[in-house]
Each structure stands twice: as structure tokens, then as C-alpha cells.
Amino acid sequence: MSQAHRPDSAGRGDIVVSARNLTKKFGDFTAVDAISFQVRAGESFGLLGPNGAGKSTTMRMIGGVSRRTSGELAIMGLDPDRHGPEIRAHLGVVPQQDNLDQELRVRDNLIVYGRYFGLPHSYLRPKADELLEFAQLADKARAKVDALSGGMKRRLTIARSLVNDPRMLLLDEPTTGLDPQARHILWDRLFRLKESGVTLILTTHYMDEAEQLCDRLIVVDKGRIMAEGSPAALIREHSTREVLELRFGSERNAAVAAELGGIGERQEALPDRVLIYADDGEAALEQVSGRGLRPLTSLVRRSSLEDVFLRLTGRSLID
Amino acid sequence: MSRQTLGGTSRKQPAQLPVLSGRPLASLYAGNVRAVFARGLKATWGSNWAITASGFVEPVLYLVAMGVGLGSLIGTVEGPGGERIGYANYIAPALLAVSAMNGAVYDSTWNVFFKLNYAKLYEGMLNTSLGPLDVALGEILLALLRGALYATGFTAVMGVMGLVTAPWALLMVPAAVLVAFGFASFGMGVTSFMKTFQQMDWISFVMLPMFLFSATFYPLSVYPEPVQWMVQALPLWHGVELLRQLSAGAVTAATGLHILYYLVMILLGLVLTTARLRRLFLS
């Protein structure tokens, strides 16, 4: 075997994904438009963006199952176009849609998947039990996949992605479609993985998920990177400390917004409410009252990633 | 063990992954056909064997109805070596080819169609270190195994009915496996283009006339010459002729050509299937 073709044995902090002007076109459509970013070992890195932003396409390129149109991409130091199987051997993949093997039972799903990596049964048998324990599915080992709830299937998919001790875990919208309990259990499991040093790369359009799990993230829209940084830094950079939400009734919101000029850093009139971005929300509310305006309801809250996201990617509906 | 130690224990005994670099076709083939094949066996185990058996029973029913029933009216016909043989002896090897074909096609079309479009099985497999050629070969071998089982069973039925006469006839089983291999490899390639159930019906639309008109029940010479050329282009005719020649021990240069036809079909099918899997999941 040639040493040059082994993935770098990266320590914590080394660069495991490096993309420069990474581009993917499908015919005339540019899904990913010359994006550049790096991910370090042990980091939890998020791709945030609306549907159709190019998140999944980027993930598929990192996963070595989609060839880039142009630009440079190195995964653990290897070019995925030439070393797809070696790269995939060290990745765990949790796809957007569960693709568990419906014809096999829960535990066999883990063992058979491990066999695809060429791992021996002697390694896989204890590993499967350990992973079932981790995914809180030990009592379902003999169950059929069909009989599992959505949250259980998701946990089994994550357990399956860990069977080869991946250096990097790729999660494409890991909690979409799950109820709040199932999401929190899943976040807890992912957080444990992060603590144990696994590099996580995830896409999501849930802001709370990104804030919970990501050390650093990029906001992508229409195939381009709109912003990059930690959740806290992004909020600092692209929003104010607090947001004042005022409701004057659907008919009046727009009209009232015109009278709010100068309060806070900026205002935004939505159909259902008016937002005032200010570092001190209570002070802004007093100013509103001082102008004789009486909102039906008012709420002061801290700025969230959602404010950043909507500011950067716009509010129009993307289908 | 406690859940918290997952990371810790995993790091202590990391998975010993096989080294893949430096192999020929490294991006297409990981040398792990076995895992795909074993998965297929495990999944088929305990599934509905009644459906499985129906594909085997069909040619047996034809053999009884046509060979024994209709054959009593027909008497003897001219065999591949020019000698007179019973009608059942005439159609039995042809139906053996059909049996092998049915077995191979069952797995490589409908089963593959479902795994491809609904179960997303191959998508999951190709997220691992498996290459498209591993997946194609594993699935084709599985279809081939079903074809071989059908063919062996059918040969046994022929033996019981006293239709196995020449020692050459023992070669019918490996020859039937060759036929199954050809159909399995090509069938999976063709299925990879199918997106809807309506399109899958086209396969039946091709298979039935091919079964009826590939000189299965009567010699090719009944057709006008242009039709003869058409039939001779189809794979089943080569399988029928190959097995008929072996059953009578009438092995000639033509036998070699029929074998060559299947070798080319297998190779083209493998190239097509691998290219399609690559295009569908790794592009």
C-alpha cells in the first residue's frame, strides 16, 4: 500500500476538510457557487441555509458521493474524486432521509453495514451491542426496522453511521420531522459524540439546533456563503443584542412602522408584527410609548440566530 | 457498559479498516462483493418463499402440459443432431433455459427496482467504502444464485421424468448458470433506467414474446428468414439452443458461439450496471 493514499492521521485542530472555490453545477443550474471553508478535527461545523441553498449538495461532495464541477476539495488530505472509497471508509453518513435496510432487523442493520466496510464479525458483534446501548435501542435489537418510531429510526441511522469509528460524521438535517422529545434525545447523543472528539458536520434549517450543536457555522444561500462564524459572533455581527416585537394588528403594522423611525438600530415591518432591533429593548419600548403608540402586545427578547438567518437570506418563501 | 464511554472505548480499539488504495479500479471496486451477497442472503432468508417458488413451477407446468400432454399428439420431432426425439425431450432443455432466465430476471429486475427506487439500499451501500462494482456483482450473483437453484431443480425434474439421456446433459446445469448470469447482469443494468411501475411492465412485455417465440416449442425454421434473424439476435434463443445441443450431446462450433454470446452479454451487463450505479449515486 502507498502511504500517500492513506488519509492523514489528523490530531485535534488539524484541518480535515478544506474547500476552495468549490462549485457544483447541474446543467445550467449552479447549486454550489465557488464556496471556500475549512473544518478542523474535533470541531462541530454547521451549514445553515434555506431549502435549495446547496447544503445537501455540499455534504454529498464532502461525503465523496458527488463529484465537484470545479474548485478544490480535500477531505482528510485526499481528493474525493480519486479516493472516494478510502475517504468514505473514515466517514459516518446520516442522510436526510433514513435509508435503513428494511429487510433486516435492527441489530443486523448495524452488523451488515459494518460488513460493507470490510470489518470482521469479531469486531462488529460487540460494537453493535455498544452502539445499540448508545442509541438507547438495546431492547429493540431483534425488532424489525418498520416497527421503530421516527426518532428511533433516526437514532439507529446515527448508530449505524458510527459502526466504522468514523473520524468525521456528516449529518444532513438530522432532526427534521422529529417531535421535540426525540430531537432533544438526539441532540444529547450528538453532543456526547462531539465531546468524545468526533468531528461533526451538519446541515440544518433549525436555528436552535445550530445554536445547540455548532461551534462554528456558515450561512449559505443560493449556493454562496453569506456569513461565517460562531453562533454568538454571528449574532453580534449581524444583529443587535435584543429585539423588540410589537403587534398593532395586521392592518396597522405597516402604517405604525412609519412612525417608529429612529428607535433602535433598525426596524422591520412584517405582516403580523413590527420588529425593532435595539441593544436595549426595554428602552426602545419606552420610546415607542413616548410617541403615544399603544401596541396590542409587546415582547423584548434576545437576538437569536434566526434573526441573523432571516436578515441574511431574506424573508421571501423559498420552495 | 456505560454509554458515556462510547468515545473512549472506540478510540482504544479503533476499527481496523482494510486498506483500499493501490487496487486496480480502486474507485469502482473495493473487493468486497461478499458483504453485498451475504446481505442479500440474510434479507431473502425468511422472506416469502411461495413467490420465489412460483418462478420455478411455471416452466415445470409448461413441461407437463406441452411436453407430456401436447407431446402425445405430436410424437417425435427432429432433434438438434438430426435424430428423432420425443417432443418432451425437445422442449425440456428450452424450458430449462427459461427457468434459469426467470430466476435471474426475478431478482435483477423487480427486486432491484424496489431497492433502487424505494428502499434506497444502494444509496446507503455507496456511502460506505463499497464501490459500484461491488454492489453490482453482489446483487447479480444473488440473482444468479436464484437462477442456478431454479435450473438445478428443473434438471432434477427432467431426470425424474426420464428426459436426461446423454452424459453431456450434466453440463446443462453450469450452462443454465451461464444463461442466468447473462440475464442477471443485463437485467440489473436495464432496470437501473426504470423509474416507474409502468416502465417495469415493459420488461414483461419483452419477456413473454421472447419466451414464446425463441424456438422454445418449435424449430427456428418455421419462420421466414428476416424473423429468424430477429429471433437469433435475442438472448433466450442462444440459451435454448445451447441447452438443447447439450441435452442431445450434439456439441458443435455453434455451441461455442452461444457460449460466447453469453460471455459478451455478461460483460456488457456488468459494465452497464456499474456505470449506471456510478451515475446514479456517485456523480
Side-chain angles (χ1 to χ4, degrees):
Chain A
M1 95 192 184
S2 79
Q3 200 62 37
H5 289 179
R6 296 293 304 275
D8 294 342
S9 42
R12 209 170 178 119
D14 292 349
I15 290 165
V16 285
V17 178
S18 173
R20 236 175 60 197
N21 294 324
L22 182 63
T23 301
K24 177 75 182 187
K25 293 183 180 174
F26 297 103
D28 288 339
F29 173 68
T30 306
V32 177
D33 193 358
I35 64 172
S36 304
F37 62 90
Q38 290 185 331
V39 182
R40 291 177 181 279
E43 196 177 19
S44 178
F45 182 79
L47 287 96
L48 208 62
N51 291 337
K55 304 185 300 282
S56 295
T57 307
T58 306
M59 286 294 254
R60 287 176 48 79
M61 287 193 280
I62 297 172
V65 293
S66 179
R67 298 164 78 86
R68 62 188 182 272
T69 310
S70 63
E72 285 166 40
L73 182 63
I75 312 298
M76 294 172 278
L78 296 179
D79 176 350
D81 277 3
R82 290 170 52 217
H83 303 286
E86 291 99 308
I87 291 170
R88 295 199 296 272
H90 294 277
L91 296 182
V93 176
V94 178
Q96 207 174 101
Q97 279 182 306
D98 287 321
N99 57 4
L100 293 164
D101 199 327
Q102 307 277 340
E103 294 178 279
L104 301 177
R105 289 173 192 275
V106 167
R107 187 168 179 269
D108 286 339
N109 255 280
L110 301 177
I111 290 178
V112 167
Y113 202 75
R115 295 291 295 155
Y116 298 156
F117 288 100
L119 296 165
H121 280 289
S122 56
Y123 163 82
L124 288 170
R125 276 189 287 261
K127 186 71 182 175
D129 295 330
E130 178 193 341
L131 288 172
L132 286 175
E133 196 68 43
F134 172 73
Q136 296 166 299
L137 289 170
D139 54 336
K140 297 281 181 188
R142 297 274 308 147
K144 288 189 168 169
V145 170
D146 270 340
L148 301 183
S149 70
M152 288 175 176
K153 281 184 187 167
R154 217 67 195 133
R155 298 205 303 272
L156 181 58
T157 306
I158 290 174
R160 190 184 67 170
S161 74
L162 296 171
V163 79
N164 57 326
D165 277 345
R167 305 250 302 275
M168 204 156 81
L169 200 56
L170 307 181
L171 302 127
D172 199 355
E173 298 190 10
T175 64
T176 298
L178 299 184
D179 62 33
Q181 284 84 353
R183 291 179 76 200
H184 281 274
I185 293 174
L186 211 66
W187 284 346
D188 166 59
R189 298 294 103 171
L190 291 176
F191 203 78
R192 283 167 200 261
L193 287 173
K194 180 171 143 46
E195 284 178 323
S196 73
V198 179
T199 309
L200 300 183
I201 301 183
L202 61 123
T203 74
T204 184
H205 47 227
Y206 293 126
M207 303 308 128
D208 48 350
E209 185 160 287
E211 293 194 66
Q212 288 262 351
L213 291 176
C214 298
D215 302 324
R216 198 161 61 85
L217 48 91
I218 53 176
V219 179
V220 278
D221 191 25
K222 301 185 183 84
R224 297 183 146 273
I225 296 179
M226 312 299 288
E228 177 174 355
S230 68
L234 284 172
I235 293 169
R236 262 201 313 277
E237 201 174 321
H238 297 278
S239 191
T240 49
R241 204 173 73 89
E242 292 184 335
V243 180
L244 170 62
E245 296 197 6
L246 303 170
R247 289 171 197 266
F248 294 95
S250 300
E251 285 84 38
R252 295 189 57 222
N253 282 333
V256 174
E259 301 174 38
L260 294 173
I263 303 179
E265 278 189 20
R266 73 192 163 91
Q267 303 87 28
E268 188 175 7
L270 302 179
D272 63 330
R273 68 211 138 116
V274 179
L275 303 184
I276 296 175
Y277 295 89
D279 283 325
D280 186 344
E282 293 294 345
L285 183 56
E286 275 172 33
Q287 282 182 274
V288 171
S289 307
R291 294 190 187 184
L293 297 165
R294 295 278 170 271
L296 301 174
T297 63
S298 64
L299 168 74
V300 175
R301 60 168 173 83
R302 293 186 69 94
S303 249
S304 72
L305 210 47
E306 190 145 343
D307 299 305
V308 176
F309 181 80
L310 291 174
R311 174 150 199 210
L312 290 171
T313 64
R315 290 188 185 268
S316 58
L317 185 65
I318 299 152
D319 282 316
Chain B
M1 60 167 292
S2 113
R3 286 170 205 139
Q4 277 83 346
T5 59
L6 176 94
T9 48
S10 306
R11 295 307 112 187
K12 265 177 240 155
Q13 293 178 313
Q16 289 297 310
L17 291 155
V19 177
L20 300 162
S21 288
R23 285 172 180 277
L25 299 170
S27 67
L28 292 179
Y29 181 58
N32 194 5
V33 176
R34 200 172 41 163
V36 179
F37 185 71
R39 181 262 158 211
L41 286 184
K42 203 171 202 131
T44 313
W45 196 255
S47 73
N48 197 339
W49 282 93
I51 296 172
T52 310
S54 71
F56 162 71
V57 170
E58 196 183 279
V60 173
L61 293 180
Y62 272 102
L63 180 62
V64 173
M66 311 283 257
V68 181
L70 199 59
S72 67
L73 291 176
I74 294 171
T76 61
V77 293
E78 189 183 315
E83 74 292 355
R84 303 298 294 180
I85 57 171
Y87 185 63
N89 295 67
Y90 182 78
I91 65 167
L95 290 169
L96 174 57
V98 171
S99 188
M101 174 181 83
N102 279 355
V105 165
Y106 177 88
D107 260 338
S108 70
T109 60
W110 280 106
N111 279 356
V112 164
F113 177 74
F114 180 76
K115 292 175 193 169
L116 203 56
N117 293 297
Y118 295 93
K120 308 273 175 212
L121 183 73
Y122 304 137
E123 183 191 84
M125 285 180 171
L126 290 171
N127 273 332
T128 71
S129 45
L130 289 174
L133 184 58
D134 299 275
V135 176
L137 267 177
E139 289 290 283
I140 287 165
L141 284 177
L142 208 67
L144 166 66
L145 176 71
R146 198 188 290 272
L149 284 176
Y150 284 11
T152 310
F154 193 86
T155 308
V157 171
M158 282 173 68
V160 170
M161 290 174 70
L163 297 172
V164 179
T165 45
W168 278 104
L170 289 177
L171 285 178
M172 286 196 303
V173 173
V177 171
L178 186 75
V179 171
F181 201 167
F183 278 101
S185 123
F186 218 74
M188 187 169 174
V190 169
T191 302
S192 70
F193 288 96
M194 307 292 177
K195 293 281 165 244
T196 65
F197 283 97
Q198 284 77 10
Q199 289 169 338
M200 286 303 287
D201 283 337
W202 297 348
I203 291 178
S204 318
F205 187 71
V206 172
M207 298 293 289
L208 184 68
M210 187 159 74
F211 160 55
L212 290 174
F213 300 119
S214 290
T216 329
F217 297 109
Y218 44 80
L220 188 69
S221 56
V222 303
Y223 296 122
E225 196 158 331
V227 179
Q228 286 191 18
W229 283 104
M230 271 171 56
V231 172
Q232 284 177 308
L234 294 174
L236 184 57
W237 179 78
H238 291 273
V240 166
E241 286 299 301
L242 172 61
L243 287 165
R244 194 168 275 156
Q245 286 165 354
L246 287 175
S247 78
V251 175
T252 64
T255 317
L257 278 181
H258 298 316
I259 291 172
L260 187 66
Y261 184 101
Y262 274 95
L263 292 177
V264 172
M265 185 177 176
I266 290 165
L267 195 68
L268 286 180
L270 275 176
V271 170
L272 176 69
T273 305
T274 305
R276 284 293 298 166
L277 285 177
R278 192 170 192 208
R279 190 177 162 74
L280 287 172
F281 299 108
L282 300 172
S283 65

